[in-house]
Amino acid sequence: MAGEQLESTRLALREAVAEAERAAELARLLDAAQTKIAEAERATAELRGVQERLNETEKLLEAAHTAEERLRRDLAEQRYQAEVAKWKLSSVQVARWSRIGDALKTGKSNPVRLARGLRGAARPAKRPVAPKRQPVSQKGADRSAAAAASFQATTSTRTVGGTSVKLKPFRVPTGPNTRPHLTVAVVAEPHAEALLRYEWRQSAGFTPKDFARVLAAEVPHLLVVESVTEGPWAEELREPGEGLNALLSWCAERGIRTVFWHTGGDVERSVPAARLFEHIVTALPRSVAAWGAALASWEPESGRRAPSLGLLPFAVQPRVHNPLPLAGDRFDRVLTLDELLPGHLSYPDVLTSYRWPRAVDCPPGTEAWRLAELAACGTPIVSSRPSDPAPESAADADADARRAHVALRQAYGSGTMTQKVDDLLDAVGLPSARATLNISVIMIDRGDLGRTLAQVAPQKGVVQLVLLSDAPDAAERARAAMPDRVDVVVRPADPGLTTGGQLDRALDLCQGDLVAVMDARDAYGEHYLTDLARAFLFTTADIVGKAAFYAHLRDVAATVLRQPAAEYSYLPEVAGATLLARRTVLRGLGFADVSEGWDEVLMRQCRTDGVKVFSADRFGYVCLRDHDSRLLGSARLVDYGPPAPHALI
């Protein structure tokens, strides 16, 4: 009995010792675990501190990059302004009036030196070339260059009826924009991007992951997001995610206005993303009611206003939708819209196709913006015309050209993208100021004041008429004939001055952005100046006129078309009676003190100074002469009869 008790006691002691050992092991493991937890907490705290310091460092680095870019731009601008100052000084020094003044000063006591100095001052002097702003190298420049390069046309062949045709792609222009004081961040597909890219300094190509870094280089004034269906933002717009919310929060922190642009697709699908923006605009007038209903049924969050609603329809962009032709002749066939624009073409390639065929057969229901873009590119739009390659007669070609010109005028008259963007900026509260194309007209009365005023009174865009006339009641008749908005300046013609001298005197009185010289002997259509001024929207020329124009010879009652191939091209010279020039450039050139050939001397000076001259369309002007053998050079007989039905459309 005692032995059993002793054995059970031993077992109990053994179990107690084992339990104690296990308890000690558990205590050791618990201490070790607590030590590791404490170490992990210290590491987490250290990591959090490192992350905070890293975030602060990134912010400092971003601020440093922004400051560096600003300093680089400021330095480039200062260098440019210094070059401009040097150029202005050298331009003044070589100007004829300055050299004449120097000659008078140095030769006032020596007649021989004075005569020599005046003779030297009368000689034309080569004017210095104006400096140009150089692009500022900055972070992300490679990306911008790649984006610009990728926007150029790439497809140089088209297939029609199984036949492959090679053509030279239209080069999408680069260069100055309409509002250089505005920077706008844009998320858009190629078509919309082409419409907007020339209206402001545009930032594009950023993604939900890198927008903060890309846009920080030049913080925009406005964000415009199209209802895109492809690209890195498409998923964010289908169902608003972190990227879109972060972009809009980033803009809100910096006071950047935000616009959602609905250009297609179901309204209901776009509402969740659109209501996060301050303003909503649609390109589709028929969708305004649906947008109004969607916004009326949505209650905005506390402290947040409901978005405003407006229209921003597609419109003609003069920089890309213009009658500048492709190299070579047009494809001598009438194409259907499907033949002209197969589905695989990118938008830059579409711009090439617009300029390619003889005419396009557009079916009923074609979008109005598509018809406007085709018309703005100078391509005739027909319906139910045979598409065989049979050549047209000269009369048919002239009729198509007249219809195409009227359609081009209507396309621009319905409103350009620049005008639509003016409305958008006014609606969101940003300045829409831009350069204007107001016109001062110089006319020398040749004895028939009524005819002289009849040529200029119907013209649009005129802000000033400078009239040189000897008629005693010229001022009263001119003010009565011209609209109230036009400032009329009348001076007597000086018989002691040459035609060039009188024009130079009148030029000093001009105040418009552009200066037109009109010849009272000739005939001008009511759309003459608006058609001519349009060229300044899509060219880099400083002087525009007509090298291709109609002329009528009264002695044989013949109407001819001079240099028909000279439309829409940069040329060495244009007719003086069709001159429309930037006022500052024309003042720098001046008019030669001659009566005959003053325009030829001016064109020669343009070639010497590198001033670009552009020949516009053939319409709106007729040179009227009793007889002039020079007009028959490079001319094609159009008709024996009046010129108005051909030219004044």
Side-chain angles (χ1 to χ4, degrees):
M1 189 70 179
E4 292 178 357
Q5 291 178 347
L6 181 60
E7 185 63 27
S8 62
T9 301
R10 287 175 179 170
L11 291 174
L13 288 172
R14 195 178 296 117
E15 291 175 357
V17 170
E19 288 293 335
E21 290 177 351
R22 285 196 294 272
E25 180 64 19
L26 287 174
R28 187 182 63 79
L29 293 174
L30 181 60
D31 289 341
Q34 289 177 342
T35 302
K36 290 182 179 179
I37 290 173
E39 291 175 353
E41 289 177 347
R42 287 195 299 273
T44 301
E46 292 177 358
L47 181 60
R48 190 178 298 112
V50 171
Q51 185 65 42
E52 291 175 355
R53 290 194 296 273
L54 179 60
N55 291 339
E56 293 176 358
T57 303
E58 288 180 345
K59 290 181 180 178
L60 292 174
L61 182 61
E62 181 178 320
H65 283 161
T66 303
E68 179 188 354
E69 296 299 334
R70 188 181 302 111
L71 290 172
R72 186 180 288 111
R73 289 195 300 272
D74 291 344
L75 178 60
E77 181 64 19
Q78 290 175 6
R79 288 175 175 170
Y80 171 72
Q81 294 299 338
E83 292 296 326
V84 169
K86 292 179 182 178
W87 169 69
K88 289 182 177 179
L89 177 60
S90 58
S91 296
V92 168
Q93 291 173 340
V94 302
R96 183 178 300 172
W97 60 267
S98 177
R99 290 183 286 129
I100 290 175
D102 291 342
L104 292 173
K105 182 178 179 181
T106 58
K108 60 183 178 180
S109 59
N110 188 327
V112 175
R113 184 184 301 168
L114 176 61
R116 188 182 298 114
L118 290 175
R119 188 163 51 251
R123 297 194 190 99
K126 185 174 182 180
R127 296 178 181 270
V129 179
K132 296 181 179 179
R133 276 191 172 88
Q134 298 300 319
V136 182
S137 60
Q138 57 182 1
K139 303 291 184 181
D142 293 341
R143 170 183 298 192
S144 301
S150 65
F151 198 78
Q152 294 298 331
T154 57
T155 304
S156 59
T157 58
R158 302 291 187 273
T159 302
V160 178
T163 302
S164 180
V165 181
K166 191 172 182 64
L167 64 159
K168 186 174 181 179
F170 172 71
R171 180 159 183 81
V172 179
T174 58
N177 54 59
T178 304
R179 302 172 187 84
H181 61 280
L182 278 182
T183 300
V184 179
V186 172
V187 174
E189 293 180 344
H191 180 197
E193 198 268 333
L195 299 182
L196 297 177
R197 66 186 306 181
Y198 305 100
E199 298 302 327
W200 40 48
R201 293 199 309 272
Q202 186 155 297
S203 298
F206 52 90
T207 69
K209 295 182 179 180
D210 65 2
F211 71 85
R213 177 176 57 82
V214 173
L215 299 183
E218 187 172 7
V219 177
H221 302 89
L222 176 67
L223 169 70
V224 177
V225 176
E226 185 196 3
S227 54
V228 297
T229 57
E230 297 180 355
W233 290 97
E235 188 63 33
E236 294 282 339
L237 295 177
R238 276 192 290 270
E239 186 173 343
E242 294 182 2
L244 181 62
N245 283 287
L247 173 62
L248 295 175
S249 297
W250 188 88
C251 290
E253 291 171 359
R254 291 157 178 79
I256 300 169
R257 294 165 174 80
T258 58
V259 174
F260 181 84
W261 189 18
H262 174 240
T263 58
D266 185 59
V267 170
E268 291 297 328
R269 189 194 69 180
S270 298
V271 167
R275 65 188 185 187
L276 301 176
F277 291 74
E278 296 175 302
H279 307 273
I280 298 173
V281 292
T282 177
L284 311 171
R286 63 180 181 274
S287 70
V288 171
W291 274 108
L295 294 177
S297 63
W298 174 66
E299 289 294 333
E301 300 174 2
S302 178
R304 177 182 173 83
R305 295 186 306 172
S308 67
L309 179 62
L311 269 174
L312 181 62
F314 288 160
V316 170
Q317 170 52 257
R319 297 290 298 281
V320 296
H321 305 128
N322 55 62
L324 292 176
L326 299 180
D329 295 331
R330 286 181 178 263
F331 184 53
D332 194 20
R333 286 186 60 175
V334 177
L335 301 181
T336 66
L337 199 58
D338 290 337
E339 290 175 320
L340 181 70
L341 303 175
H344 68 275
L345 292 182
S346 66
Y347 193 71
D349 291 317
V350 168
L351 297 175
T352 298
S353 290
Y354 280 165
R355 295 165 165 80
W356 177 44
R358 183 178 79 196
V360 180
D361 185 354
C362 295
T366 302
E367 298 93 335
W369 61 263
R370 179 76 76 187
L371 296 174
E373 290 183 0
L374 276 166
C377 291
T379 299
I381 299 172
V382 299
S383 58
S384 303
R385 285 277 297 274
S387 59
D388 59 29
E392 293 182 309
S393 66
D396 289 339
D398 288 344
D400 276 349
R402 288 194 294 274
R403 283 194 296 269
H405 184 73
V406 172
L408 183 152
R409 181 188 296 152
Q410 292 172 344
Y412 275 84
S414 63
T416 64
M417 203 65 202
T418 299
Q419 295 165 321
K420 307 299 182 186
V421 168
D422 282 344
D423 297 337
L424 171 67
L425 294 175
D426 290 339
V428 303
L430 288 174
S432 59
R434 54 186 171 87
T436 60
L437 294 177
N438 296 327
I439 302 172
S440 291
V441 177
I442 299 175
M443 292 200 78
I444 300 176
D445 178 26
R446 297 180 180 271
D448 188 347
L449 183 57
R451 172 177 170 75
T452 299
L453 295 175
Q455 300 303 315
V456 68
Q459 302 297 326
K460 306 296 189 298
V462 177
V463 297
Q464 184 186 37
L465 169 63
V466 179
L467 176 65
L468 303 181
S469 174
D470 291 326
D473 56 349
E476 292 77 8
R477 291 174 61 183
R479 290 189 178 93
M482 300 301 295
D484 293 339
R485 68 178 185 278
V486 178
D487 177 34
V488 177
V489 179
V490 179
R491 295 290 186 272
D494 188 341
L497 292 178
T498 63
T499 301
Q502 294 189 71
L503 292 174
D504 218 34
R505 174 187 173 191
L507 179 60
D508 291 336
L509 303 173
C510 292
Q511 298 177 349
D513 305 301
L514 305 176
V515 173
V517 177
M518 296 173 63
D519 193 327
R521 296 175 296 176
D522 299 330
Y524 297 87
E526 62 177 310
H527 301 287
Y528 164 74
L529 282 179
T530 51
D531 285 349
L532 203 57
R534 189 182 304 123
F536 287 99
L537 300 177
F538 55 81
T539 70
T540 56
D542 290 314
I543 293 180
V544 173
K546 296 179 186 291
F549 57 86
Y550 289 91
H552 184 72
L553 303 176
R554 297 187 184 96
D555 59 346
V556 291
T559 296
V560 298
L561 174 58
R562 193 157 189 261
Q563 300 187 103
E567 289 184 291
Y568 298 119
S569 57
Y570 292 94
L571 292 176
E573 59 184 30
V574 292
T578 66
L579 183 74
L580 181 64
R582 298 190 188 276
R583 175 170 53 89
T584 53
V585 173
L586 194 56
R587 279 186 171 172
L589 293 169
F591 291 99
D593 191 13
V594 294
S595 289
E596 296 295 331
W598 61 264
D599 52 344
E600 296 176 3
V601 177
L602 179 65
M603 294 296 106
R604 189 159 56 245
Q605 189 65 45
C606 288
R607 294 192 291 273
T608 300
D609 292 0
V611 175
K612 286 188 176 181
V613 178
F614 183 79
S615 172
D617 60 88
R618 70 181 77 168
F619 301 104
Y621 165 75
V622 181
C623 179
L624 298 174
R625 298 293 184 270
D626 291 331
H627 57 272
D628 192 333
S629 58
R630 293 180 304 172
L631 290 176
L632 298 176
S634 303
R636 171 169 64 84
L637 178 65
V638 174
D639 191 13
Y640 284 103
H646 304 281
L648 306 183
I649 58 174

